[in-house]
Amino acid sequence: MTDTSFDNGATVGLTDFSLTGFGDTGTRNIIDVPDLVNSPFNINGTNIVFGFTGGTDRGFTATFSSPINAFGATFNGVSFVAGRITRLVAGGNIVGNIPSVSDGSTGFYGFVANTSFTTLTFESANATTTDGFGADNFLYSSAATPVPFEFEPSAGLAVLGGMWLGQRWLKKVKSEPKI
């Protein structure tokens, strides 16, 4: 297998999403296969996205075949040099900056959006700097996992009432004469 570029308007189709680069990044914005072009960005010894963002005109977009509302990935060497910050834009809405992960280290970043989206753009948050990084293990979903417990006010009152009755019983037991 060889490296596959998605730089400068090229698109790489993957299972249920594609990657399209914008702007000329040279040898970046590729699916990088071992032996990696930039080995400090290695995540787990498998293929990675060797991504690049810079200025206002270089980055890439992931386009999903159906709407999603949650995304996460493992990153290496992203946003760690002062001022070199990559941010995510989901369907036109800025999600936020990917937190700093040093070269040779890995970290997971993910989010759940309030609305569904089909595009996720990786772009520079600073118009004057660039950021190169490794990304792998993309996770995404069209359904948020429900919270396993919902607070029911009547259940909360029952618990408080039970606690109050328990305290009264303990006071009574402590105040009774002992034989």
Side-chain angles (χ1 to χ4, degrees):
M1 194 169 190
T2 61
D3 295 344
T4 306
S5 175
F6 56 92
D7 190 38
N8 206 16
T11 298
V12 171
L14 301 164
T15 306
D16 48 358
F17 69 96
S18 62
L19 298 173
T20 304
F22 53 90
D24 186 2
T25 65
T27 60
R28 299 173 180 113
N29 283 347
I30 62 173
I31 303 294
D32 196 2
V33 301
D35 293 331
L36 300 176
V37 170
N38 200 331
S39 60
F41 294 144
N42 179 26
I43 293 175
N44 59 6
T46 62
N47 301 350
I48 63 168
V49 170
F50 180 19
F52 185 85
T53 63
T56 58
D57 61 348
R58 292 175 288 174
F60 62 95
T61 299
T63 303
F64 297 87
S65 57
S66 60
I68 64 170
N69 67 347
F71 174 84
T74 304
F75 293 92
N76 183 340
V78 68
S79 302
F80 79 96
V81 175
R84 295 182 178 194
I85 301 168
T86 294
R87 74 172 163 210
L88 296 178
V89 179
N93 298 310
I94 295 174
V95 173
N97 300 334
I98 300 174
S100 176
V101 179
S102 301
D103 270 358
S105 299
T106 59
F108 180 84
Y109 176 71
F111 68 92
V112 176
N114 293 330
T115 59
S116 296
F117 56 93
T118 56
T119 60
L120 182 64
T121 301
F122 294 72
E123 66 181 23
S124 177
N126 184 336
T128 61
T129 63
T130 61
D131 191 21
F133 55 89
D136 197 6
N137 306 321
F138 283 32
L139 301 171
Y140 44 93
S141 176
S142 60
T145 304
V147 176
F149 173 77
E150 287 188 36
F151 179 74
E152 175 63 44
S154 59
L157 290 174
V159 169
L160 289 174
M163 290 171 58
W164 178 75
L165 286 172
Q167 277 187 321
R168 288 196 65 206
W169 179 78
L170 282 175
K171 282 183 184 179
K172 183 179 177 187
V173 169
K174 287 181 180 179
S175 67
E176 289 181 357
K178 302 206 178 10
I179 303 180

